[in-house]
Amino acid sequence: MRIVVCAKQVVDLAQIRMNRETREPILSGIPLIIGDIEKNVLEEATRIKEQHKAEVIALSIGWPQPDGTILECLGRGADRAVMLADPIFETLSSTGVATVLAKAIEKIGDYALILLGEGSTDNNSGQVGPMVAQILGLPLVSYARQLEIVEDKVRIVKGLEDCFETAEASLPVVVTVSAEINEPRIPTILDVMEASSKPQESWSLGDIEISREELEQHHSVKVLSNQYPEQTRKNILFQEELGKSVDSLLQNLVKEGVLER
Amino acid sequence: MVEVNIKDKLALDTFKPAKESHLKLNQELCRGCKVRCCLFVCPARVYTMDEQSEIHIEFEACLECGTCLIACPHNAIQWNYPQGGFGVQFRYG
Amino acid sequence: MTKVTSIVVGAGLAGLSAAYSLARDSIDVLVVERGDYPGAKNITGGRMYFLPIRSLFPELWDEAPWERHIVREVLTGVSKCSSLSIEFSNQKYNNKPYHSFTILGSRFNKWFAQKVAEKGARVINKYKVDDLILDNGKVKGIVVGGAQIEADVVIAADGTMSQIAEKAGLRGKREPQDFALGVKEVIALSPQTIEGRFRLKADEGIAQLFVGSLTKGMLGAGFLYTNRDCISLGLVLGIKDLTDCHLNVMPYELLEEFKLRPEIVPLINGGESVEYSAHVLSESGIKGMPKLFGDGILVAGDAAGMAMNMGLTVRGMEFAIASGALAAEAVRMAKKQNDFSAGALSKYQDLLKESFVWKDLNTFRHAPDVLANPRLFGEYPQLACTMMEKLMTVGEEPKKKLSTTISKELRSRLALSLLRDSFRFWRM
Ligand SMILES: Cc1cc2nc3c(=O)[nH]c(=O)nc-3n(C[C@H](O)[C@H](O)[C@H](O)COP(=O)(O)OP(=O)(O)OC[C@H]3O[C@@H](n4cnc5c(N)ncnc54)[C@H](O)[C@@H]3O)c2cc1C
Ligand code: SF4
Ligand code: SF4
């Protein structure tokens, strides 16, 4: 059985600082790392591999070159990896990304299970998985919090608002997983050392038979602004004796609509 | 003396706190300690004292400088670096 | 079990220099660094003297991320409300090869690690070496979170708080009088603002040292270095004084007071603080060094105590780079004989003794005693400021003759100690 894991490289959110004037994140110089949800995806693929005979192939597209993410995937249990790096990926919208992934997955071929995160750690659009399924004409099960391979089917428990749903689909299938699905283990240093000797391929756009013009049509979503909400503090100081201060505080909170009477 | 909120300074840095503390105290030794210098040598104010004169550690704020280990006269601190990939991560250095 | 020829613990300047040298000689080397990326844990003040290390990796330095080359040195003595600065500039400082540069540890080490990887070394981040594999006191490899990796030789380049040297039984307890705490803030300003405020051209920088009341009588000093797009501002405080003092002030409060001094405010005005950091540094030089080699192990850089406060400058970076390269050289020789015993690796110490590292550390071996003198950090800067005040100020009273003004100050109780201390400083 062949499992393809799509892994996205994201900026290290813990390192992001905000520009106080523009209220925009300062992205320059921020290290690029593998997304958190990708760790769950790889853990799940590795877990399946431990139970069934399976080959795990990591696929990452991005710019700058997602070589760190590829290594991380190989360290976390992928058997081999395919990387596609091109400046065009920097501005591509979800449909564009899904198109490229789908083409690459087609080229990899012979897939039984395609795993992605339910949404990326940075954009969290949640669209890529469903679109890949659509393009490849495969069934999709999203938000998996439990996954089991039963013969030639996947059985998946997905979390809905206030209940769980169990779904089954026959392979090949696209599954997006949520963070609850597992607790990713930290690879040992030996895993990391081994990673660099595992097979890696680097493909260009030409390799997946997609033209730049075709892709450029996918610059469809334009980000108009990306700012953190303005925070205004009232800075009210209650300086009466304690009992009175508490009363005034409560009154004010009610007035602001923070508390209800 | 100027007033400084150490939290404001620490907020400039990136911290990736581990689950477990990399600093541990031998409270027995601390109880007998008069100088309690950990309270005022630490540049991140990791050590604080409560009303019962017990010393507490807020390891998440540690800058991993080493001062407390060198300063503590009673060897009461079991000092370690956090697990790899955790703790403070500097961007300028 | 996995086995490599050499393992370097720590991707600081010492470790990266060792790894670069080894990889260049095609010796299999694995670098293990506990930070998220090389540079994530490396605090430095900011100035590296270039000439001692220039010949080590000549192919590298042209593209190194130097911040600015220093063209002006300023020494400022401060008293409570006045200050006296001596400024030194030298035309030669603007000629290549430059005399010294400012750097930022994280930016520099990130670049250096890249070069090390390009040479073929493996650099693994986010893993801490927890222990050594020991066999009858001989170092046989490392333990990382339960996994073991064997090696012919381990180079401990894990910084001032080296636990690896300790685990190999090469170093004992650290004493407060041998160490100082450095606290530092990085303040972002545009290159144009920096150049305007400090009267600099593009790429030019200054190094400024402050002594006096800012450390409240404690052994220590303040420093300011200009980087490309930010300023490094910090204090170095002797840990013994810090521990003994009952001033009830925290190190960061002293730093904040320093920032609020009238000499500093106009320099950093409008700048945004972007990082706050702290690290201990060794102050004892050659006296505080651990044993530098053992069976299957070498110790380099700060881990070997190769940093020192030499009066007006803290030095450690060149020592780290040079000792790393010499450790690699010793490994290369050991590998030729296939003998990694303490005897064979002792060549490292011989190489060091012939180098500037040992010579400089030896020349300045008395510096810690001289600098332990509290007058240097309290009374003398105060005296200098008082004298200047008397010379410069015109009050209501008729002004006294210059000679009377000065000689009165010099006849004070301080004069004799000043003479004595100047002599000791001179000899240092
Ligand atoms: C505030 C301050 C100001 C200074 N100013 C100057 C100056 O102006 N000029 C100058 O020349 N020198 C200065 N120094 C000294 C100089 O910074 C150091 O001497 C030099 O950086 C030492 O380099 P190093 O590689 O030996 O150690 P470090 O840079 O400390 O590197 C050690 C590395 O080992 C890693 N490590 C530690 N333990 C482990 C482990 N168990 N497993 C894996 N990795 C580990 C750490 O994460 C770190 O990256 C200053 C130092 C300080 C603190
Ligand atoms: S940690 Fe050391 S200095 Fe602090 S209270 Fe305990 S014994 Fe005293
Ligand atoms: S290592 Fe430094 S920052 Fe961390 S607790 Fe000790 S003194 Fe504080």
Side-chain angles (χ1 to χ4, degrees), chain C residues 215-333:
Chain C
T215 56
K216 306 230 184 286
M218 287 187 267
L219 184 153
F223 60 82
L224 182 154
Y225 295 107
T226 49
N227 305 307
R228 203 156 29 84
D229 52 2
C230 57
I231 286 173
S232 296
L233 187 74
L235 284 177
V236 174
L237 303 160
I239 294 186
K240 177 148 196 331
D241 285 6
L242 199 60
T243 311
D244 292 347
C245 98
H246 296 283
L247 294 175
N248 208 9
V249 334
M250 307 292 283
Y252 48 86
E253 289 171 338
L254 283 177
L255 180 61
E256 200 61 22
E257 275 198 344
F258 179 36
K259 273 175 71 184
L260 290 174
R261 280 198 66 98
E263 296 85 11
I264 300 293
V265 167
L267 300 177
I268 59 172
N269 192 21
E272 186 184 355
S273 288
V274 288
E275 188 164 280
Y276 170 62
S277 60
H279 205 271
V280 295
L281 52 151
S282 159
E283 295 261 82
S284 58
I286 227 158
K287 278 190 308 184
M289 272 192 185
K291 205 163 170 275
L292 298 175
F293 58 88
D295 286 305
I297 186 163
L298 293 168
V299 191
D302 275 2
M306 289 176 198
M308 198 171 184
N309 188 340
M310 296 189 171
L312 299 185
T313 50
V314 172
R315 286 183 62 188
M317 293 198 250
E318 311 95 70
F319 298 151
I321 293 179
S323 63
L326 294 177
E329 176 61 15
V331 169
R332 198 178 61 84
M333 290 164 136

Side-chain angles (χ1 to χ4, degrees), chain B residues 29-37 73-74, chain C residues 246:
Chain B
L29 292 172
C30 293
R31 258 171 239 131
C33 173
K34 297 229 164 54
V35 288
R36 307 228 148 180
C37 58
H74 302 297
Chain C
H246 296 283

Side-chain angles (χ1 to χ4, degrees), chain C residues 335-406:
Chain C
K335 187 166 187 292
K336 241 188 196 155
Q337 317 288 330
N338 198 22
D339 175 4
F340 296 93
S341 66
L345 291 175
S346 70
K347 188 72 192 155
Y348 170 49
Q349 184 153 322
D350 301 339
L351 291 169
L352 269 174
K353 282 191 170 157
E354 290 159 23
S355 75
F356 78 91
V357 179
W358 197 277
K359 287 177 187 156
D360 282 358
L361 287 170
N362 192 41
T363 308
F364 286 85
R365 66 187 180 283
H366 299 301
D369 305 328
V370 178
L371 294 175
N373 180 349
R375 284 186 293 269
L376 285 180
F377 305 97
E379 287 158 301
Y380 295 152
Q382 176 73 47
L383 174 68
C385 289
T386 314
M387 273 177 39
M388 280 316 274
E389 187 178 340
K390 297 219 162 130
L391 285 173
M392 298 296 180
T393 316
V394 176
E396 286 177 353
E397 300 286 312
K399 202 165 160 61
K400 297 220 174 67
K401 258 173 57 174
L402 255 186
S403 55
T404 2
T405 311
I406 296 185

Side-chain angles (χ1 to χ4, degrees), chain B residues 1-4 6 9-10 12-13 16 35 37 39-45 63-67 69-72 75 79-93, chain C residues 34 36-37 39-43 104-107 126 128 161 163 173 176 179 181 183-186 239 242-243 245 249-253 256-257 260 273-280:
Chain B
M1 192 71 237
V2 292
E3 284 223 9
V4 190
I6 184 62
K9 283 216 186 302
L10 296 172
L12 303 173
D13 301 332
K16 296 197 170 168
V35 288
C37 58
L39 296 175
F40 56 84
V41 300
C42 171
R45 204 160 195 272
L63 295 166
E64 301 163 30
C65 73
T67 309
L69 174 67
I70 297 175
C72 170
N75 290 326
W79 192 93
N80 214 322
Y81 283 123
Q83 190 187 350
F86 291 92
V88 65
Q89 315 287 341
F90 295 112
R91 289 164 294 139
Y92 294 86
Chain C
R34 65 189 184 88
D36 256 12
Y37 41 85
K41 308 276 186 183
N42 307 94
I43 305 304
L104 286 164
S106 298
R107 284 185 186 168
K126 294 197 272 193
K128 182 179 74 158
M161 299 304 292
Q163 295 178 311
K173 189 179 163 0
F179 292 89
L181 161 66
V183 284
K184 172 178 163 183
E185 220 168 290
V186 178
I239 294 186
L242 199 60
T243 311
C245 98
V249 334
M250 307 292 283
Y252 48 86
E253 289 171 338
E256 200 61 22
E257 275 198 344
L260 290 174
S273 288
V274 288
E275 188 164 280
Y276 170 62
S277 60
H279 205 271
V280 295

